[in-house]
Amino acid sequence: MSENKLKLGIPAGSLQEATIDLFRKSGYKISVESRSYFPSINDEEIECMLIRAQEMARYVSNGVLDAGLTGHDWIVETGADVFEIAELIFSKVSRRPVRWVLCVPESSPVQTVKDLEGKTIATEAVGLTKTYLAKHGVTANVEFSWGATEVKPPRLADAIVEVTETGNSLRANHLRIVDEILQSTTRFIVNKDAYADPWKKAKIDDVVMMLKATLEAESRVGLMMNVPKSKLDAILKILPSMNTPTVSPMADSDWVDVTTIVEEKAIRQLLPDLKREGAVGIIEFQVTKIIN
């Protein structure tokens, strides 16, 4: 058993399932037992701990954890002194950034942040909200919200600052967005002292490389095809590629094998075009990792 250990924070709550799924696809199987905050992982050199994303940066900053995953928003909110060594664009719903937005009831007369002077704003991100108000020269009462923030206007607050991915919950609660305060994605953060340790740095870099390789591959597929040499130039002109496609000789000297990686969204139009240009034996295959 290795004597070296990397103390890694896994975000509990809304990001937990998506994070564990990303690690699984990257080769790290994390198993969470009921009521346990210390998941097992199939890497004896990593020790996992479940921590709320809101608290992750603080615990990484003070050295309780060597590294962890959390949103950029919570790093800004806590002002934690950590290294953000990778942006990992994934979330509980989509691969889009989440947004912190200033919202009011649909019937509210508020049109800009200036109209909230002296009003009450409920939010979980108190520091982020106060910084935003100060930037706009607005003085308002910012109250910490323990949850169900969307239901507080207009009785318990004049406005809220809340996080959203799709906007569905805001619309369901008849709220209107006044302004966007911050966009946030998940970041892999490290403790500065831990990252100065050669073993921990190497371990962290390996983990991050695998996570990024998995995310890089998610929107792409591989293509292999047989192409007559006489049609190769025409095929290469229509074939999008991350890099130059690989062209290999075949037993029949009049043909070549072409292999490449393309965006999955292009496949629907690309395959018929390739067929029309003379490619045969076209095979689409899944790509699980891409390391640049």
Side-chain angles (χ1 to χ4, degrees):
M1 183 177 292
S2 174
E3 294 181 0
N4 290 309
K5 289 286 184 182
L6 179 72
K7 296 176 292 184
L8 178 64
I10 303 297
S14 62
L15 273 178
Q16 180 176 322
E17 185 176 340
T19 299
I20 290 175
D21 185 56
L22 173 60
F23 271 80
R24 178 187 60 78
K25 292 177 180 177
S26 303
Y28 302 95
K29 184 179 179 180
I30 298 174
S31 300
V32 181
E33 296 183 7
S34 177
R35 301 192 180 188
S36 173
Y37 289 91
F38 296 93
S40 62
I41 184 170
N42 62 339
D43 187 324
E44 64 179 15
E45 296 177 336
I46 299 177
E47 180 181 280
C48 293
M49 185 175 182
L50 284 175
I51 295 288
R52 294 178 76 239
Q54 295 90 328
E55 301 176 288
M56 187 72 72
R58 176 163 58 89
Y59 287 119
V60 171
S61 177
N62 65 22
V64 172
L65 297 168
D66 297 317
L69 288 83
T70 190
H72 175 67
D73 45 358
W74 297 117
I75 301 169
V76 174
E77 171 71 9
T78 60
D81 186 20
V82 295
F83 281 147
E84 298 181 40
I85 64 170
E87 180 182 29
L88 305 172
I89 303 180
F90 74 99
S91 63
K92 63 179 179 179
V93 175
S94 70
R95 292 296 185 258
R96 300 191 302 267
V98 297
R99 301 185 300 150
W100 282 91
V101 290
L102 174 66
C103 300
V104 297
E106 292 175 348
S107 59
S108 172
V110 172
Q111 296 299 319
T112 73
V113 64
K114 298 288 187 181
D115 298 329
L116 289 170
E117 180 71 31
K119 304 295 186 180
T120 296
I121 303 173
T123 183
E124 190 177 356
V126 172
L128 184 66
T129 302
K130 287 183 176 179
T131 299
Y132 167 77
L133 293 174
K135 177 182 176 181
H136 290 275
V138 174
T139 300
N141 177 34
V142 181
E143 295 183 345
F144 179 77
S145 175
W146 293 93
T149 308
E150 297 99 327
V151 304
K152 294 187 174 178
R155 293 186 179 182
L156 302 178
D158 299 291
I160 64 169
V161 170
E162 180 65 318
V163 66
T164 184
E165 285 190 54
T166 64
N168 291 338
S169 180
L170 300 178
R171 287 188 289 271
N173 286 281
H174 307 290
L175 295 171
R176 168 171 51 86
I177 296 175
V178 174
D179 196 9
E180 179 179 283
I181 295 176
L182 178 75
Q183 287 196 6
S184 178
T185 54
T186 304
R187 308 296 169 93
F188 195 106
I189 61 174
V190 299
N191 175 274
K192 292 183 176 181
D193 290 336
Y195 206 54
D197 177 275
W199 183 88
K200 289 184 178 180
K201 181 181 186 303
K203 188 68 178 180
I204 289 167
D205 289 345
D206 286 350
V207 172
V208 169
M209 180 181 71
M210 295 305 295
L211 297 178
K212 292 176 70 174
T214 299
L215 289 174
E216 185 73 17
E218 281 197 338
S219 63
R220 294 185 170 92
V221 295
L223 284 180
M224 296 191 333
M225 67 202 78
N226 298 331
V227 178
K229 280 187 176 179
S230 60
K231 299 288 187 177
L232 181 58
D233 287 343
I235 291 290
L236 294 180
K237 285 181 180 178
I238 65 171
L239 197 60
S241 172
M242 291 179 57
N243 298 297
T244 304
T246 299
V247 179
S248 305
M250 298 181 65
D252 186 334
S253 60
D254 291 330
W255 289 76
V256 292
D257 178 78
V258 177
T259 304
T260 191
I261 305 296
V262 300
E263 290 281 350
E264 186 175 21
K265 63 184 179 182
I267 286 294
R268 185 175 61 189
Q269 183 58 50
L270 181 59
L271 294 188
D273 289 345
L274 291 171
K275 179 66 176 176
R276 279 191 288 269
E277 289 295 337
V280 299
I282 304 170
I283 299 173
E284 176 187 338
F285 58 92
Q286 184 180 12
V287 180
T288 59
K289 310 281 189 304
I290 296 176
I291 299 175
N292 293 313

